[in-house]
Amino acid sequence: MQSSGHRLRDVEHHPLLNNEEDFDGPSSESELPNRIWFIRDGCGLVCAFITWFLVLYADFVVTFVMLLPSKNFWYALINGVAFNFLAVLALTSHLRTMLTDPGAVPKGNATKEYMDSLQLKPGEVIYKCPKCCSIKPERAHHCSICKRCIRKMDHHCPWVNNCVGENNQKFFVLFTMYISIISAHALILAGFQFFTCVKDQWTECSDFSPPAAVILLIFLCLEALLFLTFTAVMFATQIHSICNDETEIERLKNEKPTWERRVRWEGMRTVFGGQPSLLWINPFAGLRLRRLLSRTRKGGAEFSV
């Protein structure tokens, strides 16, 4: 496909089209479908269900096995409120990561009319993805699961059933942060519970029988240890990528930056929005429930298949 004044190439890497300055056509908010984002992937849905199940299991063990039977009212109240509050933040971050468009490039926008609207300079080369027939902005990569090109795609995470990209990286970072915090909290509570129960010979430390309580606590410790290790590493990796303005795909492919890097605090402000504040760690920030419900009533979810 060729047009006068510019050339179009069917390649996937090193696009020349800048996603902030030159790509402002069909991706504008007024032209996006009035639908929420959702990926219909069997493996991703199973992983998302497992994630929710394990968090709710941890909440059940912490609340009903360890805290409610406690004789110390303030110990149970403070730890119960803190753990459940952090669990709500973690699950909210998970939902927002899963249901937020990560930065998908509109399908099939590589048309003559759209390219003419870009007002390209003579001889300038732009790049088209041969898989979804879209013009690729700079730093965009095609995801075979989402079946779309994603701006600043870091990776596709089955545990959130979505790509981590330009628009939802903040929520993914918050998800890993809150999961690592509640995992550490659960491990500390479990350790204190074991110490107390051994001291009292398991007679009054839980409403469950000693064998049942031990099994529940052991599974909780194993889960918390695995979650803490995985999410802490992911959180550190994401913060490192943001501070260096380099996605995981770009790092693995050793791509040389053709863009002006936003490093350290500038990169953090770009991802989390504005100056440092409590909004950075708030997964509810920017959520418009009324607008979301109206979009759902109008057209349901946008399935990227």
Side-chain angles (χ1 to χ4, degrees):
M1 185 174 180
Q2 189 172 357
S3 176
S4 60
H6 64 270
R7 293 172 291 166
L8 181 68
R9 293 182 178 178
D10 293 327
V11 296
E12 292 195 30
H13 309 296
H14 306 295
L16 298 180
L17 189 62
N18 185 279
N19 64 330
E20 294 181 355
E21 298 177 357
D22 302 319
F23 193 85
D24 56 359
S27 63
S28 63
E29 184 177 353
S30 61
E31 299 177 16
L32 284 174
N34 290 321
R35 300 172 184 176
I36 60 175
W37 177 267
F38 185 75
I39 302 299
R40 292 189 296 184
D41 175 59
C43 177
L45 291 174
V46 171
C47 291
F49 173 80
I50 292 175
T51 300
W52 274 68
F53 173 79
L54 292 177
V55 173
L56 295 177
Y57 169 79
D59 186 69
F60 168 79
V61 176
V62 168
T63 303
F64 293 98
V65 178
M66 293 190 283
L67 296 181
L68 287 182
S70 175
K71 296 179 181 179
N72 191 327
F73 172 77
W74 290 109
Y75 168 81
L77 178 63
I78 294 174
N79 283 285
V81 170
F83 189 89
N84 282 275
F85 177 69
L86 292 171
V88 168
L89 293 178
L91 293 178
T92 302
S93 301
H94 183 274
L95 273 181
R96 295 211 66 182
T97 307
M98 183 170 63
L99 300 179
T100 299
D101 181 350
V105 179
K107 280 184 177 180
N109 66 347
T111 62
K112 182 179 183 301
E113 292 76 13
Y114 177 61
M115 287 188 291
D116 290 340
S117 69
L118 294 176
Q119 298 180 352
L120 300 172
K121 299 177 181 179
E124 186 174 358
V125 179
I126 58 177
Y127 295 89
K128 183 187 77 172
C129 174
K131 298 176 182 178
C132 59
C133 295
S134 61
I135 295 178
K136 297 185 65 173
E138 188 175 35
R139 306 183 72 182
H141 294 273
H142 186 86
C143 175
S144 58
I145 298 176
C146 296
K147 297 180 174 62
R148 300 284 286 272
C149 285
I150 307 297
R151 294 187 185 88
K152 286 187 67 176
M153 177 180 170
D154 188 85
H155 68 286
H156 184 95
C157 178
W159 298 105
V160 297
N161 190 35
N162 201 2
C163 278
V164 177
E166 185 177 70
N167 296 338
N168 66 348
Q169 188 175 24
K170 168 187 174 179
F171 304 120
F172 182 75
V173 173
L174 294 183
F175 169 66
T176 57
M177 181 183 73
Y178 286 125
I179 289 294
S180 61
I181 292 175
I182 64 174
S183 297
H185 192 185
L187 282 173
I188 295 173
L189 292 176
F192 184 77
Q193 184 75 5
F194 272 116
F195 175 80
T196 304
C197 290
V198 170
K199 184 179 179 180
D200 296 339
Q201 297 182 352
W202 298 88
T203 54
E204 298 179 359
C205 66
S206 178
D207 294 335
F208 291 79
S209 64
V214 169
I215 292 175
L216 291 172
L217 288 172
I218 289 177
F219 275 109
L220 174 65
C221 290
L222 292 175
E223 172 198 341
L225 186 60
L226 290 174
F227 266 45
L228 175 60
T229 303
F230 175 75
T231 55
V233 171
M234 286 301 301
F235 174 76
T237 301
Q238 288 294 304
I239 295 298
H240 180 268
S241 297
I242 293 172
C243 290
N244 288 278
D245 196 14
E246 183 182 43
T247 66
E248 187 66 16
I249 291 179
E250 292 164 351
R251 186 185 68 81
L252 292 175
K253 292 185 176 181
N254 197 24
E255 295 184 358
K256 295 182 179 180
T258 58
W259 60 93
E260 183 180 354
R261 283 190 166 180
R262 299 171 178 176
V263 295
R264 297 182 178 84
W265 281 109
E266 187 179 357
M268 295 288 287
R269 286 193 293 267
T270 301
V271 172
F272 290 93
Q275 296 298 322
S277 67
L278 290 178
L279 294 177
W280 278 25
I281 59 174
N282 180 12
F284 295 97
L287 181 62
R288 300 177 182 178
L289 184 59
R290 182 179 301 177
R291 181 177 180 182
L292 181 64
L293 292 176
S294 66
R295 287 186 173 188
T296 305
R297 286 195 299 267
K298 286 180 181 180
E302 180 189 357
F303 300 111
S304 72
V305 292

